[in-house]
Amino acid sequence: MVKLRLKRCGRKQRAIYQIVAIDVRSRREGRDLRKVGFYDPIKNQTYSNVPAILYFLEKGAQPTGTVHDISKKAEVFKELSVNQTSNNE
């Protein structure tokens, strides 16, 4: 099973997180399938590769709670619902 979760980067006391698609059995800093964005909690900046996130969500990937909240602020799920309604027509 694939999850969208945060992978810690940066230096001590200056964490930056990459949003990655990764296998559930991998550890936090393990090998990821694909990088789909990043999150800087100190500067409160976020970058999301929306098409890549939508691709993994459509394939059944589950976002963690934090990634879900970040994606919600970036309005990724609105795009997911728009894509699903256009595919059903």
Side-chain angles (χ1 to χ4, degrees):
M1 181 177 177
V2 175
K3 279 205 176 230
L4 296 174
R5 66 183 185 200
L6 298 176
K7 184 176 181 180
R8 191 177 196 278
C9 301
R11 44 180 219 249
K12 191 166 44 171
Q13 304 294 320
R14 278 291 282 155
I16 295 175
Y17 297 93
Q18 291 180 344
I19 302 171
V20 297
I22 195 166
D23 188 26
V24 175
R25 297 166 290 189
S26 298
R27 58 195 178 105
R28 184 182 68 185
E29 280 86 17
R31 186 169 179 192
D32 51 67
L33 300 173
R34 185 166 178 193
K35 295 174 181 69
V36 294
F38 81 89
Y39 170 61
D40 186 352
I42 296 169
K43 295 181 182 176
N44 203 15
Q45 290 181 334
T46 305
Y47 169 76
S48 301
N49 184 351
V50 177
I53 292 174
L54 293 177
Y55 170 78
F56 282 107
L57 289 174
E58 288 170 357
K59 296 293 182 186
Q62 296 294 315
T64 60
T66 308
V67 172
H68 184 272
D69 293 342
I70 292 168
S71 300
K72 199 179 210 179
K73 286 181 186 175
E75 300 180 352
V76 170
F77 296 111
K78 286 184 181 179
E79 301 222 7
L80 180 65
S81 63
V82 168
N83 282 353
Q84 287 179 346
T85 56
S86 66
N87 288 341
N88 291 339
E89 293 176 355

